[in-house]
Amino acid sequence: MQGELPSASGETAIVVMGVCGAGKSLLANRLADRLGVGMVEADDFHSPENKRKMAAGKALTDADRMPWLDAVSLAAKLQIYCAGGAVIACSSLKRAYRDRLRAALPSCIFVHLAGERGLIAERLGGRQGHFVGETLLDSQLATLEPLQVGEAGFSLDISRPVDELVDKAMKELRPARPPRTTIAS
């Protein structure tokens, strides 16, 4: 990435992004705890209709996602106001979705959780009680646009233990460090 990383203190929103099953919620929760800020679970802001679609294995359209992204941004703004910062677990698969989040949260930093399809499918196979399952993995992988030049953020390899990923993310989020494209090799 060539984008400058904003400071991870103050009014920054950190968006943990990636396809379903990558571990966004777990990492976002751990980062929020470590940073002492609020956590926003984007899945909580899907409309009932979006949840029904995904539970039936149907991918969401851009039109389905835009009001959801707006609700997520609003929730993040509330966390920033109340807790001084926010960590958001949100797929943010396309650049257009990240641009929408950035328009509402100009200081956001993206942490892309990336990994092999087989590992993600294995995780999704063990998932219970969630409306998104393995049937959506291939469509999400096809939709995914990794972070691009000019986007503030970095990638983490999900094959590493979550505690190691949290440590690596914390190091990358420190101010005055140059952005990296891939971590946790």
Side-chain angles (χ1 to χ4, degrees):
M1 287 328 99
Q2 292 184 2
E4 288 294 312
L5 287 176
S7 170
S9 59
E11 298 184 351
T12 299
I14 299 163
V15 181
V16 179
M17 62 170 279
V19 297
C20 56
K24 297 179 298 291
S25 299
L26 178 60
L27 186 70
N29 233 334
R30 299 256 180 105
L31 274 177
D33 286 346
R34 184 83 74 86
L35 293 166
V37 299
M39 193 269 199
V40 175
E41 174 54 69
D43 284 345
D44 293 343
F45 296 92
H46 277 296
S47 69
E49 182 180 335
N50 281 1
K51 288 180 181 180
R52 280 192 294 275
K53 269 180 113 169
M54 289 185 285
K58 296 179 184 172
L60 298 180
T61 65
D62 288 353
D64 294 327
R65 289 181 186 273
M66 293 309 165
W68 167 66
L69 291 168
D70 293 341
V72 170
S73 296
L74 188 58
K77 285 180 181 183
L78 183 60
Q79 285 297 335
I80 290 168
Y81 177 79
C82 293
V87 180
I88 307 159
C90 180
S91 56
S92 307
L93 298 174
K94 288 185 178 181
R95 171 100 190 225
Y97 306 159
R98 297 188 297 272
D99 289 345
R100 187 141 183 144
L101 290 170
R102 259 191 303 276
L105 306 162
S107 296
C108 63
I109 301 168
F110 292 89
V111 179
H112 178 199
L113 298 183
E116 296 294 320
R117 186 203 183 285
L119 174 60
I120 298 168
E122 181 181 314
R123 290 179 177 187
L124 286 169
R127 184 184 253 185
Q128 295 180 1
H130 197 282
F131 55 89
V132 178
E134 191 176 350
T135 57
L136 289 174
L137 179 56
D138 288 328
S139 71
Q140 288 207 347
L141 287 168
T143 301
L144 177 65
E145 296 172 359
L147 291 172
Q148 299 171 9
V149 172
E151 293 190 87
F154 52 92
S155 294
L156 296 174
D157 179 349
I158 65 167
S159 68
R160 312 300 299 170
V162 71
D163 290 334
E164 185 178 316
L165 295 179
V166 172
D167 290 342
K168 288 186 180 285
M170 291 298 294
K171 286 178 187 170
E172 285 297 314
L173 292 167
R174 286 192 190 122
R177 286 196 41 109
R180 294 178 57 165
T181 55
T182 305
I183 310 173
S185 300

